[in-house]
Amino acid sequence: MPQIIPIRDLRDTTKLSEMCHTTDEPIFVTKNGYGDMVVMSMESYEKRLAQIDIYTKIMDAKAQADKGELSDGPVTLKKLRDKYGK
């Protein structure tokens, strides 16, 4: 379940840091009852970036496959081995 805190709770930075590190989810910060910011730990942020990168690569590969832009694995490996050695 997402954590939602009012902006005034940002004053207690130690508590906010602990909240960020005890959950893998982002913390939503509201201002005057409306969403304003999202806060998360560096570790969670880096994990999210890695997931986005993986998903992007998968979707790019699927798009290439849908276009028929596939390479034969053994042929490609042979070309690489011939070019770069074992």
Side-chain angles (χ1 to χ4, degrees):
M1 177 176 235
Q3 289 184 309
I4 302 170
I5 62 170
I7 199 163
R8 70 176 176 270
D9 287 357
L10 294 180
R11 291 182 188 141
D12 190 353
T13 57
T14 302
K15 181 181 173 187
L16 180 62
S17 178
E18 288 173 5
M19 288 172 59
C20 287
H21 290 285
T22 58
T23 181
D24 203 26
E25 297 295 318
I27 298 169
F28 297 91
V29 181
T30 60
K31 181 177 179 182
N32 298 324
Y34 296 97
D36 188 48
M37 293 184 282
V38 177
V39 181
M40 62 176 48
S41 69
M42 285 294 284
E43 182 181 345
S44 294
Y45 178 72
E46 289 171 353
K47 283 181 186 177
R48 300 266 175 160
L49 286 181
Q51 284 178 331
I52 290 169
D53 185 49
I54 289 169
Y55 293 149
T56 301
K57 288 177 181 177
I58 289 171
M59 293 307 296
D60 290 345
K62 184 179 179 333
Q64 286 179 339
D66 290 345
K67 291 179 186 177
E69 298 173 352
L70 299 176
S71 299
D72 184 73
V75 172
T76 302
L77 287 174
K78 183 179 180 335
K79 287 179 185 178
L80 289 171
R81 285 186 183 119
D82 291 346
K83 183 175 181 178
Y84 297 106
K86 292 185 177 183

